[in-house]
Amino acid sequence: MANPAILTVDDDPAVSRAVARDVRRRYGDRYRVVRAESGDSALDALREIKLRGEQVAVMLADYRMPHMNGIQFLEQAMEFFPLARRVLLTAYADTDAAIDAINLVDLDHYLLKPWNPPEEKLYPVVDALLDAWLATPDTAVPETRVIGNRWSAPSFAVRDFLARNLVPYRWLLTDDPEAARLLAAAGLSEADVPVVVTPDGKSLVKPTEADLAAHVGLSTTPASEFYDVAVVGAGPAGLGAAVYGASEGLRTVLVEQRATGGQAGQSSRIENYLGFPNGVSGAQLTDRARRQALRFGAELLTTREVIGLEGGGTTTRLLRFGDGTAIAAHTVVLATGVSYRRLDAPGLDELTGRGVFYGSAATEAPGCTDQEIYIVGGANSAGQAAVYFSHYARRVHILVRGDDLNRSMSRYLIDQIKEIPNIEVHPHTAVVRGEGAEHLERLTLCDSRTGTTRTVETSWLFVFIGAEPRTDWLDDVIARDQHGFVITGPDLLAEGRRPAGWTLPRDPYHLESSMPGVFAAGDVRADSVKRVASAVGEGAMAVSLIHRYLEAQ
């Protein structure tokens, strides 16, 4: 982080240089001296410092400047750095104005010019001001800051993307004084949010995910045009394939449309994963796997949508991206996972991201403090979310269509939920309507046994239902079942016959799809076990089969 700044502003170039010289001589080893020759240029400097998340300790401004005098400058400068100490440089004839400024801009001191020798007239004053500033410093640090509205779907999308990609950020509502200062520094207004201010001071207005990825250090451009294995999807299966592929010397690229981790990455606590007796969050597990893959030399591309797969010959497979570019590889691992199914009830679609969320949306947990929240779903992901949100919410309501949670939730989670007093399970209950203006305000629930409905007041609904494979882009390319899951291995052998278009003299390997050299792993594969451990195992197994495939070519 850069040293805190001491800003000097004087319109007389000779005086400006003299002030900066004297200040730098004494404080240059601990502070960065910034010199300006007008109020406007000084404000520009402050805006840049503010956007970079750096600090200003002291500002020294000459009173007599054209267009904007020192008092006017300091008054505006307070909007950016209210804790910086303020000094007015003035001639004897202007002491009355300086005294008035003590009340107007909370002036800390005024200095009469000239101040020679500085050891007697300048340095003691600045020393005292720096000591005072160090006692109550500006807490600004270089970081990614997100400014937005509480009930805004675009604002939520930005925060969710950063959180799921493990990018630390600070969330500021538009009515926060710090948000107002940052918007002013960037020359923006509340109408421009969401705004992301990057650690290097750039302001991104309503950024796309690709914009965010590029500015927070995520790789979006492939380093090569050809790989041994291209993995599509960075959930547990894709990360497992990337770790094992790269560790075994294969040129490996991992392509992800949104964020590493998939649905597992959103889990607040995974307690049945081998080797973690105290449990591990999805984010922690994802981060460790991602760093492990990168350490072995795998390449990770984020915000790249794969829209097509082609067989480019007997030993080449081509992946086409949404922007028209493509990469080639000897083999491909399909690990695109599944998405939560949309809840089909009037009023919910338009409230998505504004009280209605698909997945755990852990970024919203602090906002649920002392609130009533509703969770739809009876599988492990819903149970993990309920336990997590119970630490914040006044009450967590789990809505399930069946009799209880036994059908689809692990016993350890069911037992936990029974022991948490502020979690309540509602069997035979479905959401049939959502209502609200700026955000979700109420839900209509229906008891499937009696058909009776009731309305509940809430601003929070989290949905964990069904599983839809992300395979639409594989139409007419890869064999899939009626639900869209990729069919692999022996399941492709209908009545002992190999799949149409199969060109090899052998049967498909266990995880191999109907296109030779293209494998499927994890939840996207038909009849797979929907567990994190099995997904990781299939990712590793796919690499073993890839070796067999490559050796036979």
Side-chain angles (χ1 to χ4, degrees):
M1 180 177 177
N3 287 334
I6 297 176
L7 175 73
T8 71
V9 52
D10 196 304
D11 67 305
D12 185 323
V15 176
S16 177
R17 287 192 294 271
V19 175
R21 179 198 63 220
D22 289 345
V23 172
R24 190 175 289 111
R25 182 186 303 158
R26 174 88 165 201
Y27 307 103
D29 60 332
R30 292 163 291 157
Y31 296 88
R32 186 164 58 93
V33 180
V34 178
R35 181 171 69 90
E37 294 185 359
S38 72
D40 287 332
S41 62
L43 288 174
D44 288 341
L46 290 179
R47 291 188 185 98
E48 185 177 342
I49 294 170
K50 183 70 179 178
L51 292 173
R52 288 201 302 262
E54 298 171 1
Q55 301 169 311
V56 175
V58 174
M59 296 182 285
L60 302 96
D62 183 53
Y63 173 64
R64 287 180 177 258
M65 293 189 294
H67 308 299
M68 182 188 302
N69 65 36
I71 296 175
Q72 294 169 330
F73 162 73
L74 290 173
E75 188 173 14
Q76 294 189 47
M78 287 172 63
E79 296 297 319
F80 301 113
F81 295 97
L83 297 181
R85 302 298 164 166
R86 294 170 286 279
V87 179
L88 193 65
L89 308 178
T90 176
Y92 181 79
D94 299 320
T95 52
D96 288 343
I99 293 170
D100 290 339
I102 292 175
N103 295 321
L104 182 62
V105 296
D106 195 20
L107 194 68
D108 293 291
H109 207 282
Y110 67 90
L111 278 172
L112 294 176
K113 299 188 295 185
W115 51 70
N116 287 327
E119 288 76 12
E120 294 180 12
K121 298 183 178 180
L122 176 65
Y123 297 152
V125 171
V126 178
D127 284 344
L129 294 177
L130 289 174
D131 288 343
W133 179 81
L134 288 170
T136 56
D138 190 330
T139 56
V141 295
E143 61 185 346
T144 298
R145 287 150 290 175
V146 179
I147 305 166
N149 294 317
R150 179 68 194 86
W151 298 112
S152 162
S155 295
F156 165 73
V158 167
R159 292 185 294 129
D160 187 57
F161 177 82
L162 293 175
R164 292 185 62 188
N165 280 287
L166 308 176
V167 177
Y169 69 91
R170 185 155 62 100
W171 166 236
L172 298 169
L173 294 172
T174 51
D175 58 0
D176 188 302
E178 177 68 5
R181 286 190 283 269
L182 285 169
L183 289 174
L188 302 171
S189 69
E190 290 186 18
D192 297 308
V193 299
V195 172
V196 176
V197 182
T198 65
D200 60 357
K202 293 182 180 178
S203 301
L204 309 179
V205 179
K206 300 176 181 176
T208 65
E209 291 183 349
D211 294 333
L212 288 171
H215 283 88
V216 298
L218 301 175
S219 178
T220 61
T221 304
S224 176
E225 294 181 353
F226 196 91
Y227 298 87
D228 292 319
V229 56
V231 184
V232 186
L239 287 166
V243 167
Y244 282 90
S247 67
E248 294 174 14
L250 298 176
R251 292 169 296 171
T252 304
V253 62
L254 178 60
V255 183
E256 171 56 45
Q257 184 176 352
R258 287 213 69 220
T260 53
Q263 285 190 4
Q266 296 179 276
S267 297
S268 55
R269 202 77 182 164
I270 302 171
E271 298 189 62
N272 58 352
Y273 189 75
L274 184 68
F276 292 88
N278 297 319
V280 60
S281 74
Q284 290 173 321
L285 189 63
T286 294
D287 183 48
R288 293 181 181 187
R290 181 186 59 82
R291 289 189 285 112
Q292 192 174 19
L294 293 174
R295 183 171 68 84
F296 284 127
E299 186 180 338
L300 173 59
L301 304 180
T302 308
T303 66
R304 299 307 301 268
E305 180 186 11
V306 181
I307 63 169
L309 170 64
E310 300 174 11
T314 56
T315 61
T316 301
R317 302 292 173 258
L318 199 66
L319 290 176
R320 295 201 177 276
F321 297 130
D323 62 358
T325 61
I327 57 172
H330 286 305
T331 59
V332 171
V333 176
L334 302 173
T336 50
V338 295
S339 301
Y340 289 116
R341 195 169 71 244
R342 292 280 170 164
L343 193 58
D344 186 17
L348 295 185
D349 280 350
E350 51 267 37
L351 294 171
T352 300
R354 298 189 291 128
V356 178
F357 305 96
Y358 290 86
S360 66
T363 55
E364 300 302 301
C368 296
T369 300
D370 203 32
Q371 303 284 312
E372 300 269 339
I373 76 166
Y374 288 77
I375 291 175
V376 179
N380 278 8
S381 54
Q384 290 161 352
V387 172
Y388 178 68
F389 281 110
S390 70
H391 299 299
Y392 298 87
R394 179 170 62 248
R395 183 163 291 275
V396 178
H397 302 269
I398 303 178
L399 312 179
V400 294
R401 292 182 178 270
D403 296 330
D404 50 38
L405 299 174
N406 291 315
R407 179 182 176 187
S408 53
M409 190 176 292
S410 295
R411 172 51 56 181
Y412 81 91
L413 265 177
I414 296 174
D415 292 341
Q416 276 189 42
I417 288 170
K418 287 180 179 179
E419 297 299 319
I420 299 175
N422 64 330
I423 297 181
E424 184 176 352
V425 180
H426 302 267
H428 306 286
T429 304
V431 176
V432 295
R433 178 177 293 277
E435 298 175 275
E438 292 186 357
H439 60 89
L440 177 67
E441 296 174 7
R442 67 193 66 85
L443 294 171
T444 301
L445 309 181
C446 179
D447 188 318
S448 61
R449 295 166 296 185
T450 64
T452 58
T453 61
R454 62 189 175 97
T455 300
V456 296
E457 302 292 324
T458 184
S459 296
W460 308 95
L461 176 67
F462 300 90
V463 182
F464 301 83
I465 58 171
E468 295 182 338
R470 302 169 181 172
T471 58
D472 290 346
W473 57 283
L474 294 172
D475 278 347
D476 303 322
V477 178
I478 296 291
R480 299 177 298 155
D481 68 12
Q482 59 182 340
H483 302 294
F485 293 92
V486 177
I487 304 173
T488 60
D491 293 336
L492 289 166
L493 304 177
E495 299 179 355
R497 294 193 302 272
R498 292 167 183 161
W502 187 263
T503 58
L504 300 182
R506 60 168 177 82
D507 291 343
Y509 294 137
H510 179 61
L511 300 180
E512 196 169 16
S513 73
S514 59
M515 180 182 287
V518 176
F519 299 81
D523 289 359
V524 75
R525 193 176 66 83
D527 297 324
S528 65
V529 178
K530 303 299 188 283
R531 288 291 186 267
V532 175
S534 61
V536 173
E538 288 191 4
M541 186 188 301
V543 173
S544 177
L545 296 174
I546 283 171
H547 281 297
R548 290 174 59 185
Y549 172 83
L550 293 175
E551 289 167 1
Q553 298 305 305

